[in-house]
Amino acid sequence: MTSAPDPRTRPAPADTTTTASPTASPAAGPAPSPAAIGRRLSVVADQTTDSPAPAGCNSSSPRTDVLGEASRPRKAAVAKAGAELRGEVLLTLAQLRLATPRQLKALLLPHQQDTDHVRRALRNLLESPALVGRTNRAQQSYWHCTPAGLAEAAASGELAPTTGRTTGKRIAASRTGLREHGLALVDTVIAFHQAQLADHADWRVEVPHPTPAGNLLPDGVVLLADGSSAFVEIDRTMSYARLIAKLERYDAYRGAPVAGRGNAARPPRSHWQENYAGPSLERPFPPVLFVFAPARRRADPDTREAAFHERAGRVGSVGYRLTVATTTLALLMEHGAGRSVWRVVGNHRGEERRTLAALPKAR
């Protein structure tokens, strides 16, 4: 049975000679975001001339006491050193699988007026050995990690040890809507990031969660700034029957039996309690958030959202064992994830929308 990593697990501090591997440690409260800790890469070679680098920032240096070129803390700065930005671009693509230059700018350089710095970093990473790749469609470029880039990012210890992590190349080149689905997920990450609800480093994509009926595969799992978590599902073309089936899979995950025998100091826990309930089991089951995004030859997102509410409201676990809320990608991007854009399934108050903080808790 595949076990998902603890979303609160954070990489251990690394010294200047080696890159530490992630190690889990129990925390009494919410773990700090990687935005506060810093994100480190082992090596990102200076492949093209970018800008004069300060002493000690070239990862190609033979000295073993010099930090890798991309080994710089994440920070919301107007301008960043080329080495730092290259490392963040690589880590972000490894984490989210694909993105456009506009999306990368929104996440990494929100105060920049254009994408020039991001595009320069991408071009540098594209040089031999190529750590990123791109697919061009309709005058738009979609970027993803290459196997070498994914290995580079994974070896840094900055990414959660997710099994089955992919480069995103197949998704970027897809003609079946997978690319648009992936980009809608990145836009959702941007909305949460800009609302300061969650750092973009605190997302995990398609991590399997075991249930008695097989693995549950959320589109995304986000660790929120308050220490709680949420499951996120992006819908563009999925049938209502499949959406309801996924809700039932969430119910099966919540109701899965406890694992292990426990001990006098710590009772046995189920998988979701181990990963999301907190050290004292004080947190309820995470809410399941559906974001309806536009798709060609499909009903508009508002219509799909309303139809989903009608069907999902009949699922017995919704509103009792599961908190389910919905929004549209347009609302999310226009108003922000922290505003009153979430509509609770099973809420009998018409079209009322709430903030994420005001959602009811699962019992």
Side-chain angles (χ1 to χ4, degrees):
M1 180 176 293
T2 306
S3 177
D6 190 333
R8 296 178 298 280
T9 300
R10 290 288 177 263
D15 60 24
T16 58
T17 60
T18 60
T19 303
S21 299
T23 56
S25 59
S33 165
I37 298 175
R39 309 256 292 173
R40 302 182 58 176
L41 283 180
S42 54
V43 177
V44 174
D46 192 1
Q47 296 158 321
T48 60
T49 302
D50 206 348
S51 59
C57 79
N58 189 350
S59 64
S60 61
S61 168
R63 293 174 55 193
T64 59
D65 61 338
V66 176
L67 290 176
E69 188 173 33
S71 302
R72 297 293 181 269
R74 282 178 175 264
K75 52 187 176 182
V78 175
K80 299 183 180 183
E84 178 188 1
L85 182 58
R86 286 192 292 274
E88 294 191 356
V89 166
L90 185 63
L91 286 167
T92 302
L93 290 177
Q95 187 167 19
L96 301 179
R97 298 184 301 183
L98 83 161
T100 65
R102 175 194 65 79
Q103 290 174 323
L104 290 169
K105 185 201 79 70
L107 289 172
L108 304 177
L109 295 173
H111 302 294
Q112 287 287 346
Q113 295 297 317
D114 52 48
T115 60
D116 289 352
H117 293 284
V118 166
R119 290 181 185 276
R120 186 180 301 120
L122 289 167
R123 286 195 300 270
N124 185 271
L125 292 169
L126 191 60
E127 304 248 337
S128 179
L131 300 181
V132 300
R134 68 181 170 190
T135 298
N136 294 316
R137 291 282 188 275
Q139 299 182 333
Q140 177 62 274
S141 59
Y142 307 96
W143 294 80
H144 56 83
C145 280
T146 63
L150 193 60
E152 178 77 18
S156 72
E158 295 301 329
L159 301 177
T162 302
T163 58
R165 193 183 295 275
T166 61
T167 65
K169 179 178 180 180
R170 181 181 66 88
I171 299 171
S174 172
R175 296 178 181 272
T176 62
L178 286 177
R179 179 177 61 248
E180 287 72 19
H181 182 278
L183 294 174
L185 177 59
V186 179
D187 281 336
T188 300
V189 173
I190 292 171
F192 275 75
H193 183 74
Q194 291 177 337
Q196 299 184 343
L197 289 175
D199 188 80
H200 67 277
D202 290 332
W203 284 76
R204 297 177 300 141
V205 176
E206 291 191 348
V207 179
H209 292 62
T211 81
N215 278 336
L216 165 69
L217 202 65
D219 288 335
V221 183
V222 56
L223 176 64
L224 299 170
D226 64 2
S228 64
S229 298
F231 298 112
V232 177
E233 297 289 345
I234 306 298
D235 175 66
R236 294 182 65 253
T237 60
M238 189 176 289
S239 69
Y240 298 119
R242 290 179 61 193
L243 290 175
I244 298 304
K246 196 152 195 181
L247 267 185
E248 293 172 345
R249 186 66 61 91
Y250 275 104
D251 190 36
Y253 175 61
R254 186 199 168 143
V258 298
R261 303 176 62 180
N263 52 53
R266 184 178 179 279
R269 300 181 179 186
S270 65
H271 187 275
W272 86 263
Q273 291 172 329
E274 187 68 37
N275 287 277
Y276 302 111
S280 302
L281 301 182
E282 74 278 11
R283 299 188 186 112
F285 189 80
V288 184
L289 308 176
F290 282 84
V291 179
F292 290 86
R296 290 190 302 170
R297 296 187 295 275
R298 292 281 179 167
D300 64 80
D302 295 294
T303 301
R304 290 181 58 77
E305 182 187 27
F308 174 74
H309 272 258
E310 180 183 350
R311 290 164 173 79
R314 304 169 191 163
V315 179
S317 58
V318 173
Y320 177 65
R321 293 189 299 272
L322 298 178
T323 295
V324 182
T326 67
T327 190
T328 65
L329 187 59
L331 278 175
L332 205 59
M333 296 180 69
E334 180 181 357
H335 300 290
R339 299 295 182 89
S340 299
V341 298
W342 302 98
R343 184 181 170 196
V344 181
V345 174
N347 177 22
H348 301 293
R349 298 180 183 177
E351 299 296 320
E352 177 190 8
R353 293 188 184 269
R354 307 184 184 188
T355 64
L356 200 60
L359 296 183
K361 308 299 183 183
R363 303 177 190 176

